[in-house]
């Protein structure tokens, strides 16, 4: 196969069409879809609406809820550890506030608990891998906040609710949009470098489904810049943290409510018992469950552990029927299939094109609609581009950005994207990027209120693990916002709880025993275990599993 | 049973790589990270975002017949025939403990926490090893000269993989130095727009409370109507 500047010769013909049509398209605007048309494309092409990929949860608080098979799989699974093997009388860490999962939500929670009066010795932050292995660090495009005079929180509110199909919890949306400017101000005070124009005002971009430009960004390393600053602060304030120590089960207190967690050191394979008065779950999302067989943009440890632990303890979940597929995952080269091509590429003007170089849809629909339109084009027409490994994709016309905004725009604003493609010899200032939808975000999760209380006493949650903020579909830039808004609120709530005098009593794992009984009653065909902790990619093991599944299906 | 390869797999071109001393034949199209998994390794350290953003997978390798040591992010680099790979244990360099509120955007703020910056030998080993192709030595030098703005901008794309610090003969933790430079620049040199400060005040004074009350009282159908009718002021729409 002959390669020309990163692309196989075969694909070059189609790239020529893209390059030839560019000047004609520069002012061409494709109409966005009406609510009815949106519904139609979603019903027919979004994986959420395909019953093949879903089933009902068979036990527990949310019994009967229709969720992706992969989510049901981890919920209908046995605990990793036999509760009788854990000695709860030996407490390894005794603190007031335990925060599980050190992404953006967890670090914000830890900082705000500390700012609000919980002494650092009374806080413990635990995480699965290294401090910094999380979805937050990967966020590229930006964070929304309505701070311009032509904008305001009420307008932001409407965008969030409409994007979420009017199914969001209004109290959570109000908290999200009202705290947004405060969060940006907090970040500025910490020294986060948000992109500014020459005159010192913020650069603010549009995003899918936003009616104003309100996306604040730090090039296309927004999450990295934000997270490394929060992490720097955690270390400066000497807040204790444990790495490579995922929680695998919550612990309940004799007086009712959640009172701690079991940690598992993945290197030494030891278990540790933590007792705490308030537990904040901030374990993030589920991309590494590969819902509906899609590749994912998510980090290695995004396996929904927190939802599993909370569910076993009886927490209520919501909106897990809705999964977010990002419209533009890389479809070529093979080494990076599924990795994110940020929506900011479209915010800055890139159009989505079929193989002859004509636009296939409005480029900034809400994510679920945009993704469905791309899937529709690749599955019901021949207007797609095929890669040497038979993947289908759509062109994202990145060179158009520089036609509109001038030479140098890409290097300045999309340096991560430029670098990623350039590592494989593709120059995105000259040639378009091939894309196809990829698994991106867990829209639903643990139910909470605006102070981050879940349905269980002693248990708070914040971030991607939670449900209700985004309804059935999150808009770009509202998740980086959510983790700060609700991470902060969870920290403040924990500090309020700290000031109240109460004890949790003797520790028990009664809820785990109860879950095992419920699972036994289901007579499951496969005996699975969860939380997943890390996905399995060793080829022989993956192959064995596929063969097993195949044999079972016969 | 499952070990027998399918026809397609046999047709995939492969390369030979050496992981911790043992040879493995892997599909040529894989990244170093996926090749190691293909060969049977399960990552615990050494993998994080799997997409070039977290720096967990910094790798040093050699190529067949070449004495030099190469550096890369394992998740972003394709395998080559004859690659000799080792996994680096991540050893975080010590970080200064400071309160940015009490500092200024000056060289002395940096030297206070990282006095070793003054010992930079200008050997450029750090820039050569950086998988993000950052001019690391230059940003270290900018810090020394008090050009915090330049240091902040130049170090911006750092994923904190630590490779530069591993190679530094003067034991400078460059990526921590860059972090402090960026925080000082972001906090002191980049202004906070007035519009932001005013908006925070408006919210604190409850300016939008009535509006929220009204929006929350709308029926779903009325909300939908509002949504469809909302105006777009910044974007071109058909
Ligand atoms: C590639 C990419 C780009 C994105 N771009 C944007 C964007 O531009 N704008 C935007 O708003 N949003 C974006 N998002 C979404 C956003 O980044 C995430 O939703 C958000 O950062 C999640 O934050 P979190 O703190 O809830 O979870 P994470 O940041 O994922 O943190 C969760 C942490 O918990 C740890 N953990 C998991 N299980 C356990 C366990 N059992 N015990 C202990 N610890 C555990 C994880 O290892 C991780 O460190 C993007 C997401 C991705 C993947
Ligand atoms: S500057 Fe150092 S830590 Fe940062 S990316 Fe380059 S080598 Fe890695
Ligand atoms: S490796 Fe160390 S001594 Fe050499 S140029 Fe870089 S910072 Fe200076
Ligand atoms: S795993 Fe994060 S940079 Fe490679």
């Amino acid at each position: 196969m002959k390669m020309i500047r990163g692309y196989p010769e075969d694909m070059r013909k189609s790239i020529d069409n893209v390059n030839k049509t560019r000047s004609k398209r520069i002012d061409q605007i494709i109409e966005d879809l009406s609510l009815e048309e949106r519904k139609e494309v979603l019903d027919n092409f979004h994986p959420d609406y395909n019953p093949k990929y879903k089933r009902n949860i068979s036990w527990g608080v949310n019994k009967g809820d229709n969720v992706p098979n992969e989510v049901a799989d981890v919920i209908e699974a046995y605990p990793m550890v036999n509760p009788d093997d854990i000695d709860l009388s030996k407490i390894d860490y005794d603190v007031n506030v335990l925060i599980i999962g050190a992404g953006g939500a967890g670090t914000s929670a830890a900082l705000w608990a500390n700012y609000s009066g919980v002494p650092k010795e009374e806080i413990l932050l635990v995480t699965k891998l290294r401090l910094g292995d999380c979805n937050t660090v990967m966020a590229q495009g930006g964070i929304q906040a309505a701070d311009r005079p032509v904008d305001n929180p009420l307008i932001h509110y409407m965008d969030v609710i409409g994007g979420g199909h009017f199914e969001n919890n209004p109290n959570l949306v109000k908290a999200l949009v009202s705290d947004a400017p405060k969060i940006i101000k907090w970040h500025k005070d910490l020294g986060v470098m948000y992109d500014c124009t020459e005159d010192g005002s913020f650069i603010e971009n549009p995003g899918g489904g936003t009616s104003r430009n309100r996306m604040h960004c730090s090039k296309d390393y927004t999450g990295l810049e934000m997270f490394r600053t929060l992490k720097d602060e955690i270390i400066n304030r000497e807040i204790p943290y444990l790495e490579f120590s995922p929680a695998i089960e919550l612990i309940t207190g004799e007086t009712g409510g959640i009172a701690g967690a079991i940690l598992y050191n993945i290197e030494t394979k030891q278990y540790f018992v933590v007792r705490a008065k308030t537990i904040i779950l901030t374990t993030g999302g589920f991309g590494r469950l590969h819902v509906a067989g899609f590749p994912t943009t998510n980090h290695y440890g995004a396996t929904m552990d927190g939802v599993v632990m909370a569910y076993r303890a009886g927490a209520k979940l919501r909106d897990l029927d809705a999964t977010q597929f990002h419209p533009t995952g890389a479809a070529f080269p093979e080494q990076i299939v599924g990795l994110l091509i940020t929506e900011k590429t479209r915010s800055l003007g890139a159009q989505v094109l079929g193989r002859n170089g004509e636009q296939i849809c409005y480029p900034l629909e809400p994510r679920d609609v945009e993704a469905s339109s791309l899937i529709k084009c690749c599955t019901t027409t021949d207007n797609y581009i095929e890669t040497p490994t038979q993947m289908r994709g759509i062109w994202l016309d990145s060179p158009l950005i520089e036609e509109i905004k001038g030479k140098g725009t890409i290097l300045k604003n999309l340096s991560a994207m430029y670098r990623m493609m350039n590592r494989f010899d593709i120059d995105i200032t000259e040639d378009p990027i091939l894309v196809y939808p990829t698994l991106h975000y867990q829209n639903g999760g643990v139910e909470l209120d605006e102070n981050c209380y879940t349905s269980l006493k002693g248990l708070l949650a914040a971030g991607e693990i939670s449900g209700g903020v985004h309804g059935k579909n999150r808009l770009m830039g509202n998740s980086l916002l959510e983790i700060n808004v609700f991470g902060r609120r969870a920290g403040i709530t924990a500090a309020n709880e700290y000031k109240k005098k109460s004890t949790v009593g003797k520790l028990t794992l009664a809820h785990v025993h109860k879950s095992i009984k419920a699972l036994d009653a289901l007579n499951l065909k496969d005996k699975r275990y969860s939380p997943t902790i890390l996905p399995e990619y060793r080829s022989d093991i993956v192959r064995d599993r596929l063969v097993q599944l195949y044999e079972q299906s016969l | 049973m499952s070990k027998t390869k399918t026809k397609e797999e046999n047709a995939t071109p492969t390369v030979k790589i050496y992981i911790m001393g043992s040879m493995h034949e892997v599909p040529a199209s894989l990244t170093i990270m996926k090749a190691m998994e293909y060969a049977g390794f399960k990552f615990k350290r050494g993998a994080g975002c799997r997409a070039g953003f977290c720096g967990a997978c910094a790798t040093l390798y050699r190529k067949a017949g070449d004495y030099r040591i190469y550096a890369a992010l394992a998740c972003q680099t394709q395998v080559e025939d004859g690659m000799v790979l080792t996994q680096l244990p991540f050893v975080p360099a010590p970080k200064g403990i400071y309160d940015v509120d009490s500092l200024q955007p000056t060289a002395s703020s940096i030297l206070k926490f990282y006095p070793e910056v003054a010992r930079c030998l200008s050997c450029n080993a750090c820039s050569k090893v950086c998988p993000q192709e950052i001019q690391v030595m230059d940003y270290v030098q900018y810090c020394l000269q008090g050009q915090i703005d330049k240091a902040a901008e130049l170090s911006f794309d750092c994923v904190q993989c630590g490779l530069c610090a591993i190679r530094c003969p003067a034991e400078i933790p460059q990526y921590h130095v860059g972090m402090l430079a960026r925080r000082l620049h972001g906090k002191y040199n980049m202004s906070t727009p007035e519009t932001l400060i005013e908006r925070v005040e408006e919210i604190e004074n409850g300016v939008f409370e009535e509006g929220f009350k009204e929006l929350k009282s709308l029926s779903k159908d009325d909300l939908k109507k509002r949504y469809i009718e909302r105006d777009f002021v910044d974007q071109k729409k058909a």
Side-chain angles (χ1 to χ4, degrees):
Chain A
M1 181 174 55
K2 191 172 164 206
M3 302 291 281
I4 304 170
R5 280 170 280 119
Y7 282 111
E9 195 172 15
D10 284 355
M11 288 165 76
R12 276 279 153 202
K13 280 182 222 113
S14 175
I15 295 177
D16 287 344
N17 293 334
V18 171
N19 291 339
K20 263 189 273 173
T21 52
R22 188 167 298 125
S23 55
K24 274 207 301 254
R25 281 182 281 107
I26 194 162
D27 288 319
Q28 186 197 68
I29 294 158
I30 293 251
E31 202 168 337
D32 58 340
L33 302 182
S34 67
L35 287 185
E36 295 72 48
E37 289 165 326
R38 278 186 187 181
K39 185 173 177 315
E40 201 209 316
V41 68
L42 288 172
D43 281 349
N44 289 310
F45 299 101
H46 198 286
D48 274 356
Y49 299 76
N50 187 337
K52 180 169 93 181
Y53 297 126
K54 296 176 116 175
R55 69 174 190 268
N56 292 347
I57 295 177
S58 56
W59 75 282
V61 192
N62 287 71
K63 187 172 169 179
D65 281 10
N66 196 242
V67 299
N69 287 321
E70 294 77 4
V71 170
D73 282 351
V74 293
I75 286 177
E76 293 165 359
Y78 283 87
M80 267 177 62
V81 52
N82 179 345
D84 292 329
D85 291 346
I86 303 288
D87 179 5
L88 293 175
S89 65
K90 200 183 123 289
I91 293 167
D92 299 287
Y93 298 92
D94 205 357
V95 291
N96 199 279
V97 182
L98 169 67
I99 302 162
I100 302 175
T107 46
S108 307
L111 289 172
W112 281 93
N114 188 229
Y115 295 156
S116 313
V118 185
K120 62 181 190 226
E121 310 77 37
E122 286 292 345
I123 302 173
L124 180 64
L125 177 61
V126 301
T127 201
K128 183 184 295 186
L129 297 169
R130 214 169 38 117
L131 194 55
D133 294 332
C134 55
N135 278 353
T136 304
V137 83
M138 310 176 73
Q140 302 166 13
I143 173 169
Q144 292 201 38
D147 57 4
R148 295 160 65 225
V150 291
D151 198 4
N152 70 47
L154 301 169
I155 303 176
H156 190 176
Y157 180 97
M158 284 305 298
D159 288 344
V160 178
I161 292 257
H165 303 282
F166 310 92
E167 301 279 343
N168 324 44
N169 173 341
N171 296 329
L172 300 182
V173 183
K174 180 182 174 222
L176 181 82
V177 300
S178 315
D179 285 1
K182 239 182 280 184
I183 293 297
I184 303 291
K185 174 77 172 47
W186 173 46
H187 289 168
K188 281 290 305 172
D189 292 342
L190 290 176
V192 172
M193 289 169 58
Y194 283 114
D195 290 349
C196 286
T197 58
E198 296 278 303
D199 71 2
S201 52
F202 289 128
I203 291 177
E204 301 191 30
N205 292 313
T210 67
S211 65
R212 295 287 187 283
N213 294 0
R214 67 169 82 87
M215 202 75 59
H216 300 62
C217 55
S218 307
K219 292 170 123 184
D220 52 350
Y221 284 114
T222 313
L224 174 66
E225 168 63 357
M226 176 188 298
F227 186 79
R228 64 193 175 192
T229 307
L230 298 180
K231 173 174 127 186
D232 200 49
E233 240 355 61
I234 292 280
I235 301 172
N236 283 340
R237 296 181 79 91
E238 299 175 298
I239 293 171
Y241 63 87
L242 295 174
E243 299 178 304
F244 302 101
S245 301
I248 55 157
E249 215 68 73
L250 295 174
I251 296 173
T252 35
E254 212 179 18
T255 54
I258 307 301
I262 304 172
L263 309 183
Y264 173 66
N265 184 309
I266 56 175
E267 293 188 310
T268 63
K269 301 196 160 59
Q270 285 166 295
Y271 295 101
F272 296 96
V273 173
V274 188
R275 179 166 68 182
K277 197 166 102 178
T278 301
I279 288 83
I280 309 180
L281 268 180
T282 46
T283 51
F286 69 10
R288 291 283 157 188
L289 298 184
H290 295 291
V291 171
F294 275 75
T296 184
T297 59
N298 285 195
H299 81 111
Y300 191 31
T303 52
M304 214 187 187
D305 303 351
V307 170
V308 171
M309 291 186 272
Y311 194 71
R312 274 187 198 141
K316 202 155 177 267
L317 313 177
R318 59 170 288 173
D319 295 328
L320 278 167
D321 55 324
T323 299
Q324 181 161 89
F325 296 87
H326 195 290
T328 60
F332 185 87
E334 200 191 333
Q335 292 81 12
I336 54 167
V337 165
L339 298 191
L340 184 67
I341 306 298
T342 175
E343 184 164 318
K344 191 176 175 189
T345 320
R346 281 173 288 134
S347 302
L348 292 172
Q351 299 169 341
V352 283
L353 314 173
R355 69 169 178 204
N356 297 321
E358 71 290 346
Q359 293 198 67
I360 63 165
C361 57
Y362 178 66
L364 285 173
E365 295 281 5
R367 286 204 169 145
D368 49 354
V369 178
E370 188 78 19
S372 305
S373 300
L374 265 62
I375 294 173
K376 177 180 176 186
C377 185
C378 288
T379 52
T380 61
T381 75
D382 58 4
N383 196 14
Y384 55 81
I385 299 88
E386 197 173 88
T387 72
T389 51
Q390 281 83 51
M391 264 208 74
R392 294 175 180 187
I394 295 292
W395 290 122
L396 182 62
D397 191 12
S398 46
L400 183 62
I401 295 172
E402 302 217 322
E403 296 278 323
I404 300 169
K405 305 221 166 202
K407 280 259 166 293
T409 307
I410 288 183
L411 224 47
K412 194 154 163 231
N413 296 285
L414 295 168
S415 67
M417 292 298 95
Y418 179 84
R419 178 177 284 119
M420 178 162 91
M421 299 305 286
N422 196 45
R423 282 181 171 130
F424 300 97
D425 290 332
I426 293 170
D427 179 352
I428 65 170
T429 65
E430 297 285 334
D431 287 322
I433 308 168
L434 197 71
V435 296
Y436 190 77
T438 177
L439 174 58
H440 191 52
Y441 185 78
Q442 179 186 307
N443 286 317
V446 177
E447 188 169 287
L448 43 75
D449 72 7
E450 63 273 27
N451 294 314
C452 301
Y453 287 107
T454 67
S455 60
L456 301 179
K457 197 177 135 214
L459 185 69
L460 309 179
E464 191 167 341
I465 187 184
S466 70
V469 180
H470 310 292
K472 302 294 183 194
N473 174 53
R474 172 185 69 100
L475 302 184
M476 170 197 184
N478 279 341
S479 175
L480 282 182
L481 177 58
E482 162 187 38
I483 61 181
N484 284 283
V485 166
F486 293 98
R488 171 178 169 273
R489 284 173 175 247
I492 295 171
T493 299
N496 290 337
E497 291 292 333
Y498 167 77
K499 285 162 203 154
K500 295 181 198 162
K501 294 274 166 273
S502 68
T503 49
V504 294
K506 210 169 139 251
L507 302 184
T508 88
L509 287 168
H511 71 284
V512 182
H513 285 288
K514 222 171 112 193
S515 304
I516 293 174
K517 263 213 194 111
L519 288 160
D520 283 342
L522 297 176
N523 283 318
L524 296 170
K525 214 160 62 206
D526 312 305
K527 198 160 181 187
R528 286 179 298 262
Y529 297 88
S530 66
T532 311
I533 312 285
L534 290 173
E536 186 54 75
Y537 295 126
R538 283 173 292 188
S539 58
D540 47 347
I541 295 173
V542 172
R543 201 155 44 217
D544 286 355
R545 195 174 54 205
L546 289 178
V547 170
Q548 223 176 39
L549 284 176
Y550 176 70
E551 283 169 356
Q552 272 171 17
S553 73
L554 291 181
Chain B
M1 67 171 174
S2 56
K3 294 279 153 56
T4 44
K5 285 191 179 171
T6 62
K7 262 189 221 146
E8 285 78 1
E9 273 184 273
N10 278 330
T12 328
T14 58
V15 293
K16 292 194 178 73
I17 59 170
Y18 301 83
I19 307 170
M20 313 289 203
S22 60
M23 196 268 277
H24 297 269
E25 192 167 341
V26 301
S29 63
L30 299 180
T31 57
I32 295 175
M33 180 172 284
K34 287 181 182 166
M36 289 179 72
E37 288 172 335
Y38 184 90
F41 286 82
K42 178 144 187 160
F43 284 100
K44 284 180 183 155
R45 293 199 178 228
C49 68
R50 304 177 69 102
F53 286 85
C54 78
C57 65
T59 307
L60 294 179
Y61 63 91
R62 283 195 26 235
K63 296 187 198 179
D66 187 338
Y67 70 91
R68 274 170 300 192
I69 288 180
Y70 292 85
L73 297 176
C75 70
Q76 295 289 292
T77 310
Q78 196 172 346
V79 285
E80 285 175 46
D81 202 34
M83 247 181 192
V84 181
L85 297 163
T86 53
Q87 246 208 298
L88 279 180
F90 184 83
V91 192
K95 192 190 94 62
I97 301 293
Y98 44 78
D99 169 10
V100 274
D101 289 346
S102 66
L103 301 176
Q104 276 112 44
T106 57
S108 60
S109 288
I110 296 212
L111 285 166
K112 188 163 158 207
F113 300 98
Y114 302 107
E116 56 276 26
V117 164
R119 294 202 304 260
C120 172
L121 307 167
S122 302
C123 68
N124 212 25
C126 48
S127 311
K128 277 195 194 139
V129 81
C130 178
Q132 295 288 87
E133 298 181 328
I134 295 170
Q135 296 305 313
V136 186
M137 179 182 79
D138 295 356
Y139 80 64
V140 171
Q141 290 291 330
Y142 280 136
C143 285
L144 199 52
Q145 296 156 11
Q147 303 200 54
I148 305 301
D149 52 339
K150 290 213 168 111
E153 272 151 27
L154 203 58
S155 68
F156 192 84
D157 293 4
C158 170
V159 292
Q160 307 189 311
C161 70
L163 279 170
C164 50
I166 290 176
R167 301 284 281 171
C168 181
E171 295 183 354
I172 299 170
Q174 297 93 331
Y175 61 107
H176 290 324
V177 174
M179 183 75 235
L180 176 53
R182 288 189 302 274
R183 290 196 62 185
L184 294 175
H185 180 61
K187 184 172 173 70
Y188 296 105
N189 298 339
M190 297 172 79
S191 60
T192 302
E194 273 308 308
T195 47
L196 176 70
I197 296 166
E198 281 161 20
R199 182 54 45 81
V200 171
E201 272 166 18
E202 283 176 351
I203 291 167
E204 267 162 11
N205 296 334
V207 170
F208 303 104
E209 286 304 315
E210 279 303 309
F212 279 122
K213 218 182 267 161
E214 198 240 341
L215 285 177
K216 280 204 213 168
S217 71
L218 293 180
S219 70
K220 210 186 249 184
D221 282 337
D222 288 336
L223 260 179
K224 277 190 186 164
K225 215 162 139 253
R226 281 278 178 99
Y227 181 70
I228 298 162
E229 287 166 0
R230 77 205 201 287
D231 62 329
F232 285 68
V233 297
D234 299 306
Q235 298 149 48
K236 284 188 266 177
K237 292 277 257 182

